[in-house]
Amino acid sequence: MSGLHERALASADAIETELRRIGAWRDEPLPEGAYGFRKAFAADTMAFEEWLQFVLLPRVREIVATGGAFPPRSQVGTYAIRNLDGREDCERLIGLLCEFDYLFASA
């Protein structure tokens, strides 16, 4: 496993832990229709926190497990700032997502 893969997996684990801590983790799956999104970050079919749980985290873990290539950049932290700014319970989550973006900026 490459250093980037290790750091991305650790970041995914930290994001999951934080989603659970703030009560944004869903135990039940989303309806199938939620995955038919057309907008970035599935903004048309699910909440941002749901996108993190059901799209981003599984994709990161899949790339790590298969040794695949990550996209050249990430803007999930930027999107988090725009969507979660002002929510005190999300400050740490925003920070973790910005750190996730930085993994790819420094790769």
Side-chain angles (χ1 to χ4, degrees):
M1 183 180 322
S2 76
L4 176 59
H5 285 84
E6 288 176 3
R7 290 189 308 275
L9 184 58
S11 183
D13 290 344
I15 292 165
E16 177 178 338
T17 298
E18 187 61 14
L19 285 169
R20 289 180 183 276
R21 188 192 71 77
I22 64 173
W25 191 264
R26 290 177 51 119
D27 291 326
E28 63 281 346
L30 293 174
E32 283 299 315
Y35 295 94
F37 55 87
R38 295 182 183 271
K39 292 187 177 182
F41 303 99
D44 54 339
T45 63
M46 60 183 83
F48 179 60
E49 295 93 327
E50 292 171 334
W51 178 83
L52 292 171
Q53 178 181 349
F54 293 104
V55 178
L56 177 70
L57 296 180
R59 183 68 183 126
V60 168
R61 291 180 174 132
E62 177 186 338
I63 290 170
V64 169
T66 62
F70 285 104
R73 64 188 171 101
S74 171
Q75 295 183 326
V76 69
T78 303
Y79 193 80
I81 291 168
R82 193 171 356 157
N83 284 275
L84 302 174
D85 189 39
R87 286 188 48 189
E88 289 183 26
D89 63 326
C90 292
E91 288 178 6
R92 174 145 172 74
L93 179 60
I94 291 169
L96 290 169
L97 294 169
C98 289
E99 289 172 15
F100 181 81
D101 286 353
Y102 184 73
L103 289 176
F104 304 98
S106 62

